Amino acid sequence: MKKFLILALFLVGTLTAAQAQKIGYVDTEYILEQMEEYSAAQAEVEQISKKWQEELEKMYEGIEQMDRDYQAEEVLLAEDVKKQRQEAIFQAERKAKEYKQEKFGYDGELYTVQDQKIKPLQDKVYQAIEEVAKERKLDIMFDKSGNSGMLYTNAIFDRTDEVMKKLGLAR
């Protein structure tokens, strides 16, 4: 009987705790697709990216042509001219790689353009999500599209400090 009573109290406590947290979810991908300004910003970023990609492809086509020309004439060239042509090809390749890094690299111009055009719209969506979560008294909001995981959490459920304390990393 005691075991049954303890089990019943445990189940009631668990169910009460589970009901105490309110959870919701949104599909941020769908929301963004419905925003005209997001579609326009995305199209603008794609247009810029396409232009830079075409310029990069032209650079590589030029390098390939330089290499084909060199290969065709190599046997006829003097040693010093061979070295000049090889150096010219090497410099063109280096320039193309630098251009690629400058435009498409981690902190490249494309990243900057996306940050300027798209991030403010994403921030607007996340702000609206937070407002809805607070209005509806939700504790956790998930992203159905799977891009972000949790979008909003009520700070009272954060146990980071407790775990850090257990690990001896307390602030």
Side-chain angles (χ1 to χ4, degrees):
M1 185 71 177
K2 251 185 178 180
K3 288 181 184 178
F4 177 74
L5 184 58
I6 292 172
L7 181 62
L9 288 174
F10 175 75
L11 287 174
V12 168
T14 304
L15 291 174
T16 304
Q19 290 174 344
Q21 292 181 357
K22 292 176 136 186
I23 299 173
Y25 69 89
V26 294
D27 188 341
T28 56
E29 197 172 294
Y30 178 76
I31 293 168
L32 289 168
E33 287 172 1
Q34 303 309 306
M35 296 174 69
E36 290 180 27
E37 62 259 54
Y38 180 79
S39 298
Q42 208 169 24
E44 189 176 343
V45 169
E46 287 173 14
Q47 182 180 358
I48 291 168
S49 175
K50 183 179 177 184
K51 178 184 155 223
W52 290 339
Q53 185 64 38
E54 288 170 357
E55 290 174 7
L56 187 60
E57 287 171 7
K58 285 180 186 177
M59 293 172 90
Y60 279 115
E61 287 171 9
I63 293 167
E64 288 174 12
Q65 186 61 47
M66 288 172 68
D67 192 47
R68 282 193 298 272
D69 292 347
Y70 171 74
Q71 296 296 328
E73 300 169 355
E74 181 180 16
V75 292
L76 305 172
L77 298 174
E79 210 47 48
D80 61 333
V81 176
K82 283 183 184 180
K83 287 183 180 179
Q84 287 175 346
R85 300 275 290 275
Q86 289 172 345
E87 182 63 24
I89 292 170
F90 174 76
Q91 291 299 327
E93 287 174 338
R94 187 175 59 77
K95 185 178 176 184
K97 286 178 184 176
E98 287 173 358
Y99 181 84
K100 182 178 181 182
Q101 183 65 29
E102 176 187 315
K103 300 297 182 186
F104 300 103
Y106 176 69
D107 280 332
E109 289 182 45
L110 184 61
Y111 176 80
T112 302
V113 169
Q114 286 175 325
D115 201 41
Q116 292 171 344
K117 304 278 182 195
I118 294 175
K119 189 171 181 313
L121 301 172
Q122 291 172 329
D123 291 345
K124 183 178 176 181
V125 170
Y126 293 133
Q127 179 64 38
I129 289 168
E130 186 174 338
E131 289 172 13
V132 167
K134 288 178 179 178
E135 288 169 7
R136 301 282 307 241
K137 295 182 175 38
L138 299 175
D139 296 314
I140 301 171
M141 285 283 279
F142 289 98
D143 186 356
K144 179 181 172 183
S145 64
N147 295 336
S148 304
M150 285 191 286
L151 299 172
Y152 170 80
T153 58
N154 189 331
I156 65 169
F157 297 107
D158 186 357
R159 300 295 180 245
T160 304
D161 289 338
E162 293 173 33
V163 172
M164 289 178 64
K165 185 177 178 182
K166 285 273 188 208
L167 294 171
L169 303 171
R171 298 181 219 180

